[in-house]
Every structure is written in C-alpha cells, then in structure tokens.
Amino acid sequence: MSTQQIPPRAYVDSAHHENELNGLFRQSWIFAGLKLELQGNVHQGMRLGNKDILLQCDESGKPRAFLNVCSHRHARLCEPGKHRGYVRCPYHSWVYDKGGVPLSMPQKQAFPQVVAEPEKFRLHEFACETAGQFIFVRMSESGPSLRDYLGSQYGFLERASEGMDTVLDEFREDVAANWKVVIENALEGYHVPSVHSGTFMEVDGMSREKDAPRFFFDDARHSHLEHDANADWVARFQRMESRIGRWPWRFEHYTHHHIFPNLTVTSFMGYSFHVQRFDPTTAETSTVHSRTIGVAFEGGTEAGKKMMEHIYADGHAFTKKVFAEDGGICAKVQAGVRNATKLAVLGEGIEDRVRHFHHAYVAAQPIEGQE
Ligand code: FES
Ligand SMILES: [Fe+2]
C-alpha cells in the first residue's frame, strides 16, 4: 500500500527534484502553450521541466519545439516570452528559419560546412504534438504518442478548443511549495469551506447537492470531475441567451480536468476555459502560469457582449482571490511537509483524485530507497 503513495521527502528533497526533472518531466507530454498564441510570425521562449525550449510554427503551420540553444557557440537564443520575427541569436546574429535550420549568418565564408549543409546544423528538436489548440512537448526521444498519452482527455481538449479565440487574462505567480502540493490542492474540494469560506460563498453557481461532484478516472494518469450548475444559474443563462448569443460547446456543469503531470483545464458551462500549468522551479517552489481563454459567441448583441465582459471580469478577480488563498495554504503545507515523517492520510471519496495522482506519480517516478 505504502508504495502507492508519495512520501514527504519527495516534496522537499533536491536530489529527488533533479530525478523528477530528468525522469517524469522528460518522459511525459508537457503542456507548452496554445496554437492561438503562436499566430503570425512569432516564436516563444519557455522553460519546461529543466529545459529551455523555443516554440514556433513552421511554414505549414505545425507547432515545433526546439532546444533554445544556438548551434554556433551555444548562446541562449531567446528569452522567455513571445517575440516577433525569425529567431536571431543575440551573440553573432545567426538567423534560423521556421524549421530550426540556419538561414543566414554574418561572414558566411568562414563557415563553409554550414553553408554547404545547413540542415546538419539544425537546432535540436523535441517531439511536439497538438490536441486541438493545446500544444504539448515531450523531451524524451521515445514514448507514447500524445493521443495515447492523453487517453480520454484528448477528445476533451479537442472539444474545448472548438470555440477558443482569445486569451482574456493571463498571469504567472510564484508559490512557496513543491508543484505536487499545488496540484494536490487543486484536486480536492475538501479544503474549500476552511480555506475559501469568504470567496466561494459569494460567487457560486454550483449545485449544493452533497453528491454533486462526479469523479472520472478513465485514464491511469489523468482525472476529471463534473459538478452540476445550480438551476438558478442555468435559468439565468437561458434568459440572457438572446443577448449573449450561443457558443460552440455549452454544458451545464463546472468541469475540472487534471492532465498529468502539471496541467489543469477547468470551465464553467464552456463559455471560457482556465488553463493552468504548475511549473517546478526548485524542490520547494513552483510557478503557476494561468490563462483564461474566451470562446467566440454567435448571434449576440452589444448589450450581451457587455454582460459577458462583466462575467469575465468577475471571473478574473475571483480566480486571483482563490489563487492567493490556495498559494497561502500551500506554503503552510510545504512548511509542514518538511518536518513530516509519515505518509499523508487520504480520505475516501473526497480525496480520490489526490490518491489517483499519487498512484500515477509513483508509477511514473521511482522513489529512491523505496521498493
Ligand atoms: S552563438 Fe549564436 S550566433 Fe554565435
Ligand atoms: Fe482551493
């Protein structure tokens, strides 16, 4: 039994953190961004696990992921974030095309081998595949396809992508806790009454039926839940429909998906989606990159558009408040887990998604000194 659970030291030990980055984070498909963020002539720098990655679409529009290191003398090509135009190295100005091949360089007569066979000097490339708008990168050379890795979540991400058209809100926040503490916090609602007593009670479109959330464990690594919207909330949207219009995928619940290891996608009724990636930065710290993606409405009025803007603005403020509360409690968990000597106690039912995460984690990442 005990081997199925993550022991306390896996949340604090820096050697284990290194093994995790070189193991689990290399083997898994890691969410890198959305196709809609790579439109136009842009490229993006980011860190996934312990690798600096450069993401761009090639001439055919397919997202490609490269190591963010110049083939010449290994300068980092671009800083984190979005940049316009072709990739140009800041050191000696080699320029790379959309497929990562050197396109031009100053004083090219000095590099006859590169001029003769530029393909040979292509940037190191990683596996990169998409499910709808969602771009994933796998750092290890071999492993399952994205579709096999995602299982039933593949269809969900494709469906969720149908109407996505803009990033409405985006933020990055540091959390003083191991990424797994933050993920586990996102996987249970048991803490809600004590940690979010003020926030969740104010804005709540959710049914209060005791057995309202339904958990789904169709995949060995991932899980999701659905929580029905309450009748008043659904009726309110029905009344507004003639003004706000229709959107491509409307459902009458809140849904929360965890895609192993470090992505969550949540939505209430499908009119927007929250996409959050939890990046490990050290053994005891992480950064959350959060985006709210809006979907396209059809047949709405100007007044309806204003209504949705209000709903979105309330949503952003709510997300940030909840996030700050979760960040605060996660820091306390980290402070405690540093001193912990026993395995955590996981509740039946209410903490089943945490348990599912532990199983997936232990299967993916050997824990030293534990058979
Ligand atoms: S190191 Fe990149 S051009 Fe020289
Ligand atoms: Fe929370």
Side-chain angles (χ1 to χ4, degrees):
M1 253 323 250
S2 63
T3 54
Q4 295 290 294
Q5 241 179 276
I6 309 175
R9 68 191 145 80
Y11 299 81
V12 296
D13 185 73
S14 37
H16 182 77
H17 170 71
E18 283 301 312
N19 290 340
E20 203 174 60
L21 296 178
N22 292 320
L24 167 67
F25 276 84
R26 250 174 60 79
Q27 304 298 331
S28 303
W29 284 97
I30 306 295
F31 171 69
L34 298 157
K35 273 166 88 172
L36 59 89
E37 296 171 311
L38 279 185
Q39 293 318 300
N41 188 19
V42 300
H43 58 277
Q44 223 176 336
M46 69 188 65
R47 194 163 175 85
L48 297 179
N50 56 1
K51 291 272 184 291
D52 284 323
I53 303 283
L54 193 163
L55 204 63
Q56 63 181 354
C57 286
D58 66 17
E59 302 296 346
S60 75
K62 185 191 180 306
R64 309 259 297 259
F66 303 97
L67 186 67
N68 191 3
V69 171
C70 185
S71 298
H72 177 220
R73 274 170 54 209
H74 309 149
R76 173 151 80 180
L77 287 164
C78 72
E79 295 308 303
K82 209 188 259 193
H83 311 277
R84 301 230 137 257
Y86 282 102
V87 174
R88 174 188 295 270
C89 180
Y91 201 178
H92 311 93
S93 288
W94 284 28
V95 174
Y96 293 85
D97 73 10
K98 295 289 174 187
V101 177
L103 193 63
S104 68
M105 67 205 61
Q107 306 191 49
K108 63 180 185 197
Q109 68 285 355
F111 299 94
Q113 71 279 43
V114 185
V115 173
E117 289 177 293
E119 283 281 342
K120 270 196 173 168
F121 301 88
R122 176 197 289 273
L123 300 174
H124 181 82
E125 188 165 8
F126 297 109
C128 184
E129 291 180 22
T130 56
Q133 284 283 348
F134 294 77
I135 305 169
F136 289 82
V137 172
R138 189 192 64 213
M139 267 85 76
S140 78
E141 268 165 42
S142 58
S145 68
L146 179 66
R147 193 183 283 265
D148 287 347
Y149 179 84
L150 289 176
S152 77
Q153 302 297 334
Y154 189 92
F156 166 73
L157 294 182
E158 271 196 317
R159 190 91 203 266
S161 298
E162 277 172 20
M164 286 185 175
D165 70 347
T166 36
V167 178
L168 296 169
D169 190 44
E170 183 172 15
F171 66 88
R172 281 186 184 77
E173 290 280 351
D174 295 333
V175 183
N178 181 279
W179 68 279
K180 300 188 288 299
V181 168
V182 195
I183 289 282
E184 290 172 20
N185 169 262
L187 289 177
E188 48 92 356
Y190 185 39
H191 72 275
V192 170
S194 55
V195 175
H196 307 296
S197 56
T199 20
F200 268 81
M201 301 311 145
E202 286 162 27
V203 194
D204 192 359
M206 243 85 89
S207 164
R208 293 186 189 279
E209 301 285 318
K210 210 166 124 273
D211 55 352
R214 295 176 298 277
F215 298 140
F216 298 85
F217 300 106
D218 303 336
D219 309 296
R221 301 180 183 92
H222 326 294
S223 71
H224 68 281
L225 75 73
E226 290 179 0
H227 192 150
D228 288 332
N230 70 35
D232 291 349
W233 198 273
V234 173
R236 183 179 157 201
F237 268 87
Q238 239 128 31
R239 284 196 300 277
M240 299 193 311
E241 194 173 288
S242 59
R243 280 166 290 171
I244 60 177
R246 283 172 305 280
W247 59 95
W249 186 23
R250 175 174 164 164
F251 42 83
E252 293 184 351
H253 54 259
Y254 167 78
T255 191
H256 183 293
H257 290 245
H258 171 233
I259 291 160
F260 189 84
N262 64 338
L263 172 69
T264 62
V265 180
T266 65
S267 178
F268 186 53
M269 299 183 78
Y271 58 73
S272 67
F273 289 83
H274 291 282
V275 176
Q276 298 191 315
R277 191 183 65 218
F278 303 79
D279 292 318
T281 45
T282 70
E284 300 208 64
T285 57
S286 47
T287 300
V288 179
H289 183 181
S290 171
R291 302 165 173 87
T292 305
I293 320 295
V295 304
F297 286 79
E298 224 178 74
T301 63
E302 271 309 306
K305 214 173 146 190
K306 285 262 166 338
M307 276 181 202
M308 282 317 294
E309 276 165 16
H310 280 294
I311 289 176
Y312 283 141
D314 284 352
H316 303 332
F318 180 69
T319 304
K320 283 185 185 125
K321 214 169 153 196
V322 170
F323 180 82
E325 291 168 350
D326 282 327
I329 198 66
C330 286
K332 291 184 206 277
V333 175
Q334 189 67 33
V337 84
R338 231 173 268 151
N339 301 294
T341 52
K342 295 180 187 168
L343 294 177
V345 182
L346 298 177
E348 282 172 30
I350 48 173
E351 291 176 319
D352 281 354
R353 293 184 75 203
V354 177
R355 184 178 292 104
H356 190 77
F357 172 68
H358 276 234
H359 288 189
Y361 181 89
V362 171
Q365 182 62 48
I367 292 164
E368 309 72 30
Q370 189 166 293
E371 72 281 9

